[in-house]
Amino acid sequence: MAGIGFQLQKLFKEDYYSSRFKAYLYSLFVTAGPWLIVILTILMLQLLLQAVPDVTAENKQLFMISVSYCFMFSQVLFGFQQLVVTRYVADCLYEKKEEKVFSSFLGFSAVTIAAAGLLWLIFALLSPIGWDYKLLMLSLFIMLNLIWVMLLYLSGAKNYQAIALSFLAGGIFSIGFLFLCMKWFPFFEGEWSAAWMMMGSFTGGMAITFFGLVVSMLKTFPDRSATAPFAYLAYFDKYGLLAFTGIFYNAGLWISNWIIWLNSGEWLLGTFRYHPSYDTALFYAYLTILPTYVIFVVSIETRFYERYKTFFSFINDGGTLSQIMKSKTSMILVLKQELERLVRYQGFISLALLILAVLLLPLFIKADSVLDLFRITIIGAFFNGMTLIMMLLLLYFDDRRGAFRTALLFFSGIAITTVVFLPAGESAYGTGFTLGSLISFIYSSARLFQYVGKADYYAFCRSHKTRSDGPFHRLALKLERWI
């Protein structure tokens, strides 16, 4: 998010409703544009195949579950390195060592490909589906992992337009390619040909997105040194808590699904475990907290960031005690105001959707089990989104321990409460997700304001010692010698 504040502040200085609307639209574009494009692409591919006779629901199911698995496990895999690499890149830019940035991208990509390939190999050896489909999934899985990597670097470089245009081009290609296949070529024979076509079209679109991002990377980072590409691994020794924060949070997003799959899920082709009702309800619940990220970006990058910057400027540049204390008071006040506004706005949206799900949706939707789960997961998604906001703010203040405990509590809370409520049956499946998210939200909120209240103390007195050597440092040296 860092860097978009200048554009937002410019829009908010113009005291017009149209300018404010543009600011929120810009934030939506930055935070969720690529995600929305991917979702719309998947929906359009399914709608196109509705015009083809004899396309079974199982084909659509295979396609959706395959894509879901690729996205899910690529996010978890990426999460382990995400925050550590972010810290490394930020330090390189702060120290004016831009030549190390692209080099770390090469090393990060190599490690990611190796890990993704190993994970896919385990899946491929255990799965009875055809190798043609497995290889198609491998292509998508590898590209998604590398796309997350490039998004990290391009977002840091504020190249948001290139990101959105690459995803848009990929989505258009996917839809157009499937349409042309249906129009110009006979439908492939075979029980799972429709799923193969959808998967092939979607993978082709992701390939367009991938190459678009590669071009953007080359343009964004003209100094493309390949010296010491694995040097970033030493940061796992220095900032190990960031690695565990990323993995626990990303795994926590899906741990309730995995537990429910093992308990009462269904098998598809002896390969994919899933639960139709819970997976669908949770997917729609996550969509309801989209406004949270938009409002958060606007709030943090406008009013709060100005106070945050002023406070730390006084600390770093020799401000008086009076200036430091006044700026801290102002910063905490604005932080409380913006968080209250965020909770109020998202709470209103979630409550409105909950009422809609209780009173109106049953008149039009017959899937009672999905609606029942959606009602409880809406509440869980609200606390889930709030937990992420608190964790990000803890990282703003470099409270790595607090962020780690939040992520660990998020993961373990959802896991434990989901297991506890399993005997209550399917109607209680979303309860564990909701309670676990609520527990982590309560802890992270208390931790944030306790920590921020002593921000000046931590800035002056906290030890900043980190490990200069360790297993990852030695691993980096070995990899450097091999290449």
Side-chain angles (χ1 to χ4, degrees):
M1 292 177 296
I4 71 171
F6 297 110
Q7 180 67 20
L8 292 176
Q9 290 163 13
K10 179 182 176 182
L11 290 170
F12 273 101
K13 282 180 181 177
E14 302 173 17
D15 194 17
Y16 301 103
Y17 285 112
S18 59
S19 297
R20 291 180 174 269
F21 176 75
K22 289 178 184 177
Y24 283 104
L25 193 63
Y26 183 73
S27 300
L28 176 65
F29 171 80
V30 169
T31 56
W35 185 32
L36 291 175
I37 291 170
V38 169
I39 292 172
L40 290 173
T41 300
I42 293 173
L43 292 176
M44 285 300 299
L45 294 177
Q46 291 187 318
L47 288 173
L48 278 176
L49 281 183
Q50 283 186 355
V52 179
D54 303 325
V55 173
T56 62
E58 287 77 11
N59 272 272
K60 296 178 183 177
Q61 208 167 45
L62 175 58
F63 166 66
M64 283 298 297
I65 293 174
S66 302
V67 172
S68 297
Y69 266 61
C70 288
F71 270 86
M72 182 185 303
F73 289 103
S74 66
Q75 286 180 341
V76 174
L77 194 64
F78 173 69
F80 182 71
Q81 298 193 83
Q82 177 185 7
L83 294 176
V84 177
V85 176
T86 301
R87 179 58 187 257
Y88 178 81
V89 172
D91 286 352
C92 289
L93 294 175
Y94 179 77
E95 296 168 3
K96 309 297 183 183
K97 298 178 180 178
E98 290 85 355
E99 71 279 359
K100 290 185 175 182
V101 174
F102 192 83
S103 180
S104 69
F105 163 71
L106 297 177
F108 189 6
S109 299
V111 172
T112 299
I113 292 173
L118 179 61
L119 190 61
W120 172 85
L121 183 61
I122 297 171
F123 158 80
L125 293 175
L126 296 176
S127 171
I129 62 176
W131 278 94
D132 56 341
Y133 198 82
K134 290 177 185 177
L135 292 173
L136 202 56
M137 285 190 66
L138 172 64
S139 301
L140 178 60
F141 189 54
I142 293 290
M143 282 191 292
L144 284 176
N145 276 280
L146 293 177
I147 284 172
W148 306 147
V149 171
M150 287 188 284
L151 288 183
L152 186 152
Y153 286 85
L154 291 173
S155 297
K158 314 174 190 65
N159 202 344
Y160 307 111
Q161 184 175 7
I163 293 172
L165 290 177
S166 296
F167 274 91
L168 182 61
I172 293 173
F173 178 87
S174 294
I175 297 168
F177 183 78
L178 182 61
F179 177 79
L180 293 177
C181 285
M182 292 167 53
K183 185 176 180 64
W184 291 347
F185 301 99
F187 208 77
F188 298 151
E189 295 182 0
E191 183 180 4
W192 302 105
S193 60
W196 203 98
M197 288 182 66
M198 281 190 287
M199 191 66 170
S201 299
F202 185 74
T203 302
M206 285 294 99
I208 297 297
T209 298
F210 171 78
F211 287 115
L213 294 176
V214 169
V215 172
S216 299
M217 282 292 299
L218 297 176
K219 291 181 178 179
T220 304
F221 299 100
D223 186 356
R224 294 189 287 273
S225 171
T227 304
F230 299 106
Y232 80 93
L233 289 173
Y235 263 50
F236 282 89
D237 295 318
K238 297 177 66 175
Y239 302 104
L241 284 181
L242 289 180
F244 288 107
T245 300
I247 193 68
F248 277 124
Y249 177 77
N250 281 280
L253 294 173
W254 309 108
I255 187 63
S256 62
N257 297 74
W258 299 339
I259 293 172
I260 289 170
W261 292 353
L262 292 174
N263 180 68
S264 59
E266 302 176 11
W267 282 105
L268 180 63
L269 296 178
T271 299
F272 301 104
R273 194 79 173 166
Y274 71 107
H275 191 284
S277 300
Y278 184 74
D279 295 348
T280 302
L282 192 59
F283 168 74
Y284 287 120
Y286 276 135
L287 290 181
T288 66
I289 58 173
L290 186 61
T292 293
Y293 309 122
V294 176
I295 299 169
F296 173 69
V297 170
V298 171
S299 299
I300 294 303
E301 289 292 343
T302 51
R303 293 187 66 211
F304 170 73
Y305 181 70
E306 286 299 313
R307 275 71 175 184
Y308 172 91
K309 184 173 66 174
T310 300
F311 170 70
F312 280 101
S313 293
F314 284 134
I315 288 178
N316 293 325
D317 300 331
T320 65
L321 178 61
S322 174
Q323 288 174 321
I324 291 173
M325 297 308 294
K326 285 182 180 179
S327 62
K328 187 182 82 167
T329 301
S330 175
M331 177 182 67
I332 294 175
L333 176 63
V334 170
L335 178 61
K336 288 181 179 179
Q337 290 174 344
E338 294 303 321
L339 286 177
E340 287 173 2
R341 186 164 69 96
L342 176 63
V343 171
R344 185 169 62 250
Y345 286 177
Q346 181 59 57
F348 173 78
I349 294 170
S350 295
L351 180 61
L353 291 170
L354 182 60
I355 295 172
L356 183 67
V358 171
L359 299 178
L360 294 180
L361 290 182
L363 301 175
F364 305 98
I365 300 176
K366 302 300 180 184
D368 293 335
S369 60
V370 175
L371 272 179
D372 290 341
L373 293 171
F374 179 60
R375 290 163 190 149
I376 185 65
T377 51
I378 285 178
I379 303 172
F382 170 79
F383 292 120
N384 186 311
M386 294 300 114
T387 297
L388 176 61
I389 298 308
M390 297 303 168
M391 192 173 73
L392 290 175
L393 287 170
L394 286 170
L395 291 174
Y396 252 78
F397 290 94
D398 201 27
D399 182 14
R400 299 189 295 273
R401 192 177 299 277
F404 164 72
R405 290 175 179 172
T406 298
L408 178 61
L409 191 60
F410 178 69
F411 173 84
S412 58
I414 292 177
I416 293 170
T417 51
T418 299
V419 171
V420 168
F421 279 93
L422 284 179
E426 182 175 326
S427 60
Y429 278 173
T431 308
F433 169 74
T434 300
L435 287 177
S437 299
L438 172 60
I439 292 169
S440 59
F441 170 60
I442 292 173
Y443 168 77
S444 58
S445 301
R447 173 74 182 195
L448 174 66
F449 285 104
Q450 178 270 330
Y451 194 91
V452 174
K454 299 180 179 179
D456 49 340
Y457 166 78
Y458 290 118
F460 284 112
C461 303
R462 188 183 59 178
S463 172
H464 293 276
K465 291 182 180 180
T466 55
R467 294 180 61 182
S468 58
D469 193 11
F472 284 95
H473 179 76
R474 292 189 290 272
L475 175 61
L477 293 177
K478 287 181 180 179
L479 292 174
E480 299 294 353
R481 286 196 295 267
W482 287 349
I483 57 174

